[in-house]
Structures are given as C-alpha cells and as structure tokens.
Amino acid sequence: MKRTLVAIISICAIFAQTLFCEEKSSAESDFSNAAVSIRFYDRTMYYPDEVETNPIYVHITIANKGAETLRFKLADERLFSLNFKALNIRNSSLPYTDKVVSARTTSKTVFYRDIALETGEEYSFVENVKDYIKISEPSIYYLEMEFFPNLYKGNLNTKLVSNRLTLEIKPNPGASSSVVLPIEGKTTQLLKPEPISPDQVVEQTISSCQKALWDQFFLYMNIEEMLMNSSRATKAKYQSVSAIERGRMIENYKADLMQARIDTDIVAVPSSFEIEKTVYSPTEGSVYVIEWFQNSGYKEKKRYTYHLLRRDGIWQIYKYDVDNLGRE
C-alpha cells in the first residue's frame, strides 16, 4: 500500500512538472537575455522608392545571451515577427508600406515556426527594409528594428528593440534640381565644391538644409572652424587632443548637427528665405539672409549673418550670427 502511494505521488509529480513545462513554453517567456541586432547586408548606395531594383537589405541576428533555452515564434510572413522604424532628424517616423498596413489590419491565420536557441546560439536572416516602410525622400534616417518574439498582436506586443543604424538615402541619379549637386557615378562622394560666390554658397547650404541633403549641407562649411566657434571649452579641448581624436570630434559634431542636438539655429529649417545683402573682400565675406520659420498660426522672422573665408578659391562658412526680428 505504501509503495502504491509513493508511485501515485511520483506520477502526479511528473505530470505536474510536464504540465508546468508546457505552460511555461507556451506562455510569454523572459526575453531579458535575448539580444537583437541589425547591420547592413551588402551595403551600397540607397535611393528613394525602387523597392525591387534598389533594396535595403539588413542582416538580422537574434542571440541567446542567457543560461537557459530561449524560445520564440518566427512567422512565415516576417512582418508579423518584426517591424522597422526609420526616423528623420526631427524624430518623425516614415510610414509603413501598404502591404504591412493591409496585412496587420486584416483578420488572417498567421503561420509560424517555434525556434529554440541554446546558450550562445544565434539565428540570422536577411530582410528588405523597403518591404516595410516607404522611403520617398532623400535624407539621413535612423533605422532600428523591433522584434516580436510572440508575434505581432496590435498594441499588446512583447518586443525587443535592436541597435540603431544611420541610413543615408541619396537623391535619385538624374533627378533635376537647381540646388542639387552632382554625385560621382558609382561612389558615395559628391564632386568637389565649385568656386562660386559667397551668396551662392549660402543659398545652396540653406536649400540643402531644407531638403536634409547633408553631404551638400556640409560641402561649403568649414566644420573645424564651426566646431571651435561653438564654445571656448570645445575649442580648448580640440586644440589639446591628438589628430585622431580631433577627427572623432569633427565626426561627432557633424552627427550632433544632423540630429539637431547642438547649434540648432544653423540646422533650423526655414519655410522660406531671402538674401538681403552680400559684402566681401578677396578673402572674407558676409551674407545677410532673412529667414522665415513657420509655427502654428504665425511665422518667426530672423536675420542670419553667415561669415565666410576663401581658401584655395573656395568660399566656406565658418561661423554665423542670428538676430530675431519678431513675428509675422
């Protein structure tokens, strides 16, 4: 009788343990030790639209950094397992494609596979970002991905967020514009700056800012001088570090400008502008510009004074001043 009771208890314990494991595997798991990362796959020059002919392939990796088995679902239609976001410098998101919107708003059966990763294992695949989001304008975007380990469920999602990539979308080759500068055939480099007048330099710089064409925006700008003019502390640090560290400071300064984290006046986008006056000698110049900024119900009017130096026949902006002229 005693042996029978022990056997019954043992069977019940095994049954309860099996049931618990099944419930744990089917319920929402702890994904704190899961890592999701993205990187460009076969990176090239990217242009607006052209989903099939100019895809943006991203290599996605899901890794188990924990000590226990990591289990998740992966949908056959990957849009039910992941989501891409592309933010511009104003932190606005690009819209989803019609395919994504239609699929997620239509009642349908989602087929998926259960995947288990042991400690240290990874699962990788490649996706075309343009299948998920509409990219219709050239600009600098900040790309990240959300992964839904229990599939996409509207607003009730468990999600893991990847690292962020900087995505540069170039103007379409051959696109016509009075202020768009030509791009060399199969490189990502713009042609060298032209020996144009100070007012033309400023006009092209402002127009490039309006269109978020950063290569053109920086083309006629002396970044080193702009950086040192930003603050005394920055200038002192820049002059005291090595050449390698100076290069890093310049790149960080450019990145901060593109994200409007510093010197926000120079990257503020006017709704319209008008060159008021240009004064220059053979080596120095100043261009006075009236710029209007649209706000809710009114416009702000400001006078920008761009200061330029001429080096090797090329005019470069090295500092600027701003005067507020009130509202209109």
Side-chain angles (χ1 to χ4, degrees), residues 233-277:
T234 299
K235 181 177 181 179
K237 179 180 178 181
Y238 184 82
Q239 292 176 332
S240 67
V241 298
S242 66
I244 294 176
E245 184 59 31
R246 287 182 181 182
R248 290 198 189 109
M249 287 182 68
I250 287 175
E251 290 305 311
N252 290 337
Y253 178 71
K254 289 172 67 175
D256 286 340
L257 282 178
M258 288 189 289
Q259 296 182 57
R261 290 197 292 239
I262 57 174
D263 289 353
T264 53
D265 283 323
I266 193 67
V267 292
V269 181
S271 57
S272 60
F273 66 93
E274 179 182 293
I275 294 179
E276 184 181 39
K277 181 174 63 173

Side-chain angles (χ1 to χ4, degrees), residues 44-55:
T44 183
M45 290 184 67
Y46 302 122
Y47 305 108
D49 303 317
E50 301 181 20
V51 177
E52 300 297 333
T53 58
N54 182 237

Side-chain angles (χ1 to χ4, degrees), residues 303-321:
R303 175 181 287 111
Y304 278 67
T305 305
Y306 297 89
H307 303 281
L308 301 91
L309 292 174
R310 192 180 187 189
R311 293 183 177 177
D312 300 322
I314 303 298
W315 288 99
Q316 293 182 316
I317 300 169
Y318 72 97
K319 69 176 182 177
Y320 68 98
D321 301 310

Side-chain angles (χ1 to χ4, degrees), residues 26 28 56 58 79 89 153 213 222 226 243 300 307 309:
S26 61
E28 184 174 312
I56 302 175
V58 169
L79 60 86
I89 61 169
K153 299 175 182 177
L213 301 177
N222 188 323
M226 293 282 290
E300 283 187 285
H307 303 281
L309 292 174

Side-chain angles (χ1 to χ4, degrees), residues 83-96 129 133-135 137-146 161 163-169 212 214 258-259:
N83 185 60
F84 284 100
K85 282 188 174 181
L87 305 172
N88 60 24
I89 61 169
R90 297 167 190 84
N91 211 35
S92 298
S93 298
L94 292 183
Y96 298 121
V129 173
I133 52 180
K134 295 179 181 178
I135 304 177
E137 297 291 337
S139 186
I140 299 289
Y141 299 100
Y142 304 99
L143 181 70
E144 64 183 23
M145 190 200 76
E146 297 172 332
V161 180
N163 56 302
R164 181 174 285 191
L165 301 176
T166 301
L167 171 63
E168 183 175 6
I169 303 296
W214 295 109
M258 288 189 289
Q259 296 182 57

